[in-house]
Amino acid sequence: MSPELTPETRADRARELWLLVAVVFFGLLLRLGYLQLVRGGVFEHLSEENRIRSDVLRAERGRILDRNGVILADNYPTYRLTLDPRDRAFRGHPEALARVVEALAEVLERDPAELAAEVDQARRRWGAPLLLSRNLSFAQLSQLEERQDRLAGVDVQPESMRRYPRGTLACHVLGHLGEISEEELKQNTDYRMGDLVGRAGLERQYEKVLRGRDGVDYVSVDALGRRTDRFPELPARPAEAGADLVLTLDAQLQEVAERALDAIPRHGHSYPRPDQFPPPDSILHGPPSALVALDPRTGEVLALASRPPFDPNVFVRGLSKEDWRQVNASTHPLLNRAVQASYPPGSVFKILTALAGLEEGVITPERRFSGCGGGYFYGNRVFRCWRKAGHGALNLTDALTRSCDVYFYQLGIALGVARMGRFGEKIRIAERTGIDLPQERAGLMPTPEWYHERYGKGGIGGGAALNISIGQGEVLLTPLQVAHFIGTVAAGGKVMRPHLLRRIESSDGQVQRDALAESWEEQPLGVSPANLRILVAAMERVVMDNSGTGGRARVGEFRIGGKTGTAQNPHGDDHAVFAAFATVDQPRIVVAVVAEESGHGGSVAAPVAQRVLYAFLTGEAPPVRGTSRRTPAGPLVVEWEGD
């Protein structure tokens, strides 16, 4: 017998084997105890994470309504498709992800290579599921349901989709939505990849009010990540819908305003007579233009339009190449010209020049300067009046009625740039109005300091005062600023901040904020009421007198005041400008119109304002063919086609 197999040797080996078994068993026991007692909670949590999934319940965005309850923005139910490229089914199996991407490309009718690149980028940069499509069709939903067992990481979720049922109506007021960016996600933890946020207009201004609060629900899932049942042990949190905005806007008046702007003839062509205003649908696209109508008593904006328009629905459903081309056109349809574009106000600015002259004691209502012979010699240059035959010697009221440039050239010289600049700053003519819209632009009221900073010492040209006096040169105002100023004059110096919000209501109809109960009054103009009455009377003659330049803004026998303007444009034809208010004795509405490169304010912009005034004052839609009626001042006749 070999010595290695002696009984003693066998006993030693048995003891060693049993010792090894005991050590292994004890080690396994310790490990099991560690996993169960020390790390048990962690692994239980991981197990539950694999079995239980939290689903986001997306909040419905608040609606936007006009002052009469007309819906301008609401929502409709639809479905969205997401893909999680980090799903456990794809770990170590890139070919599985490629097959899913290829199948989704077929369903979504997208280029597989393009979709694969998009998914790969998301996988590298984000841990969250990637939003692939919104507003899925019934056919797409059916195809996804049929292939559900082969589409790991894919999830179809219900969501509420934004809708603008009136299309382009009030598009610049409402604004549009856009997908949240990476930088915004880092700063806003309440948002998720793929969420839509307000990008412009009221959608941006009141984003926090409209958005609401997302909820969460817990569901059980199978090995493929498919929902099997709700998980009642974890309480769900329902989504809270966003609040509704009720606006000061009047949708009917807004539509009249937009159609009137669309009917403006291009390239300076004017209408033959006031009673031959073309049908609103006869010209589909007018020139770039803007209109603001507000209540000077309260600051409520009744209509605010900018042309050309855009359809905010395209930003929700996804921009096609054609959509992208249109919104990036050279006419800048996304620009809200009513608050984001500034123009020389032209002769409308003569109201401020006249008020400065009266307040500074430079003129009285009856003072007459040298007679207008069609131009004014200053230095070695002739500054022309719009009427080549001239106007003769006029007092202030006649000079405003006929919009005589020569009268205001001389008043501008008497005032000087410094006094006009100080007065403009005093009444805050070029400051932002504070309207509840984003990106409002300030105007420009040049002062000697501004000229020195821009052009150096002695940078004020000899004709600066003459140009400023008639709203030319460096003076720039937005259409909203023009409406705000004229409305303030009409209201006797009472300054009301323009605003679009009327009230905020919760989804169950509870009023959360009532703007009607708030004060929108600001620091008064601080000028003589008597001087304002002089200007109001003169503006009434601009429209109601047969010699006035604003006769095409008349509406029957209603007393209307206004001022025409024609702003020189170094890049093309003149801009047409007009501002009016009604009625003179009880101002309830002020309208300002600017039409780019369209000609004279009296012949182009005034008829646009007239249609808005007609709709507001009569409560009826403007007739297709003219609104001419006899007035106490006689038949509707315009003596000349000037300012």
Side-chain angles (χ1 to χ4, degrees), residues 186-457:
K186 296 175 183 177
Q187 301 170 7
N188 298 275
T189 57
D190 292 338
Y191 290 85
R192 296 171 178 82
M193 194 66 180
D195 281 354
L196 295 176
V197 297
R199 289 292 180 213
L202 294 173
E203 293 280 22
R204 174 176 172 176
Q205 183 77 18
Y206 292 102
E207 165 68 20
K208 293 182 179 179
V209 173
L210 290 166
R211 182 173 183 269
R213 182 185 177 194
D214 289 343
V216 63
D217 193 14
Y218 297 94
V219 296
S220 300
V221 295
D222 60 16
L224 295 176
R226 297 174 298 190
R227 295 184 188 89
T228 58
D229 198 3
R230 294 188 68 252
F231 191 77
E233 285 81 358
L234 292 175
R237 187 183 73 241
E240 298 177 12
D244 294 341
L245 296 184
V246 180
L247 308 183
T248 62
L249 216 66
D250 185 319
Q252 184 176 358
L253 196 68
Q254 178 77 20
E255 186 171 2
V256 170
E258 293 186 8
R259 287 190 175 184
L261 291 177
D262 287 338
I264 296 174
R266 287 179 174 269
H267 309 303
H269 297 291
S270 60
Y271 308 120
R273 294 200 313 270
D275 61 345
Q276 291 184 342
F277 195 95
D281 297 328
S282 63
I283 302 175
L284 297 179
H285 302 289
S289 54
L291 181 149
V292 178
L294 54 83
D295 187 336
R297 302 168 301 176
T298 62
E300 292 186 346
V301 177
L302 305 173
L304 191 149
S306 177
R307 309 321 267 173
F310 66 92
D311 185 357
N313 289 296
V314 302
F315 292 90
V316 179
R317 64 175 182 251
L319 288 170
S320 66
K321 291 183 179 180
E322 177 60 22
D323 292 332
W324 182 251
R325 186 189 66 80
Q326 290 182 6
V327 300
N328 283 280
S330 60
T331 52
H332 307 293
L334 295 182
L335 177 68
N336 186 350
R337 288 172 165 80
V339 299
Q340 295 175 329
S342 56
Y343 305 87
S347 293
V348 174
F349 194 78
K350 292 173 182 176
I351 301 299
L352 183 141
T353 306
L355 183 58
L358 292 170
E359 288 290 306
E360 295 288 332
V362 173
I363 58 171
T364 64
E366 297 305 321
R367 178 178 175 180
R368 298 171 186 263
F369 289 103
S370 299
C372 170
Y376 183 76
F377 286 91
Y378 185 80
N380 59 354
R381 179 181 169 189
V382 178
F383 287 77
R384 298 291 181 185
C385 182
W386 69 266
R387 189 168 190 258
K388 295 180 181 180
H391 295 96
L394 304 173
N395 61 22
L396 175 61
T397 299
D398 288 335
L400 284 171
T401 301
R402 303 182 183 186
S403 199
C404 177
D405 293 330
V406 170
Y407 178 97
F408 286 93
Y409 290 150
Q410 297 173 84
L411 177 54
I413 294 172
L415 283 167
V417 172
R419 278 203 284 189
M420 283 191 288
R422 285 197 304 269
F423 186 79
E425 289 182 336
K426 172 187 174 183
I427 65 172
R428 310 181 295 280
I429 183 67
E431 291 183 8
R432 294 180 179 88
T433 66
I435 189 174
D436 48 345
L437 281 176
Q439 300 175 307
E440 181 188 7
R441 182 174 181 172
L444 174 61
M445 181 66 205
T447 62
E449 293 74 22
W450 182 87
Y451 280 108
H452 294 158
E453 182 179 344
R454 178 131 184 170
Y455 302 114
K457 293 293 184 180

Side-chain angles (χ1 to χ4, degrees), residues 73-155:
D74 63 357
N75 312 281
Y76 66 96
T78 184
Y79 290 89
R80 56 189 269 153
L81 172 67
T82 63
L83 170 65
D84 187 357
R86 297 190 177 187
D87 188 273
R88 62 179 179 272
F90 304 139
R91 295 171 189 169
H93 303 284
E95 72 285 352
L97 177 59
R99 286 195 300 269
V100 170
V101 170
E102 186 176 354
L104 291 177
E106 181 182 350
V107 173
L108 300 177
E109 298 180 351
R110 291 187 56 180
D111 179 14
E114 179 184 304
L115 184 59
E118 185 178 331
V119 171
D120 184 62
Q121 183 182 26
R123 182 180 60 82
R124 296 172 185 274
R125 301 179 65 178
W126 296 100
L130 172 66
L131 175 65
L132 295 182
S133 181
R134 281 190 163 91
N135 201 23
L136 295 172
S137 67
F138 179 77
Q140 290 172 327
L141 287 172
S142 301
Q143 293 180 62
L144 292 169
E145 183 67 25
E146 291 173 359
R147 308 179 188 189
Q148 188 178 26
D149 58 337
R150 290 170 286 163
L151 297 176
V154 173
D155 192 21

Side-chain angles (χ1 to χ4, degrees), residues 60-76:
E60 185 171 283
R61 199 169 180 86
R63 301 177 302 166
I64 304 178
L65 305 92
D66 88 330
R67 65 191 300 123
N68 300 311
V70 175
I71 296 175
L72 301 175
D74 63 357
N75 312 281
Y76 66 96

Side-chain angles (χ1 to χ4, degrees), residues 463-614:
L466 286 80
N467 284 328
I468 293 173
S469 70
I470 63 168
Q472 296 287 172
E474 290 78 13
V475 181
L476 294 172
L477 297 177
T478 67
L480 176 62
Q481 288 170 326
V482 172
H484 189 223
F485 172 65
I486 296 299
T488 299
V489 172
K494 184 178 180 181
V495 181
M496 305 300 295
R497 178 152 57 97
H499 59 280
L500 285 151
L501 179 66
R502 212 158 196 243
R503 63 181 178 273
I504 298 174
E505 296 180 351
S506 62
S507 56
D508 59 359
Q510 298 296 316
V511 177
Q512 296 181 348
R513 178 182 174 187
D514 186 1
L516 294 175
E518 301 175 14
S519 174
W520 298 90
E521 187 169 0
E522 300 187 330
Q523 182 181 349
L525 208 57
V527 298
S528 165
N531 288 335
L532 293 176
R533 288 194 292 270
I534 292 169
L535 297 178
V536 168
M539 284 191 282
E540 181 179 9
R541 287 192 57 189
V542 170
V543 177
M544 305 306 294
D545 193 274
N546 289 339
S547 64
T549 56
R552 292 190 175 184
R554 293 186 200 173
V555 179
E557 298 179 2
F558 290 101
R559 295 175 62 193
I560 298 172
K563 185 68 192 77
T564 57
T566 302
Q568 293 179 0
N569 173 25
H571 307 292
D573 293 334
D574 295 340
H575 301 322
V577 187
F578 183 71
F581 60 92
T583 59
V584 170
D585 52 342
Q586 292 182 333
R588 294 178 287 151
I589 184 174
V590 57
V591 181
V593 180
V594 176
E596 296 182 13
E597 300 187 38
S598 298
H600 297 297
S603 57
V604 175
V608 174
Q610 187 253 13
R611 297 182 73 77
V612 175
L613 292 170
Y614 182 97

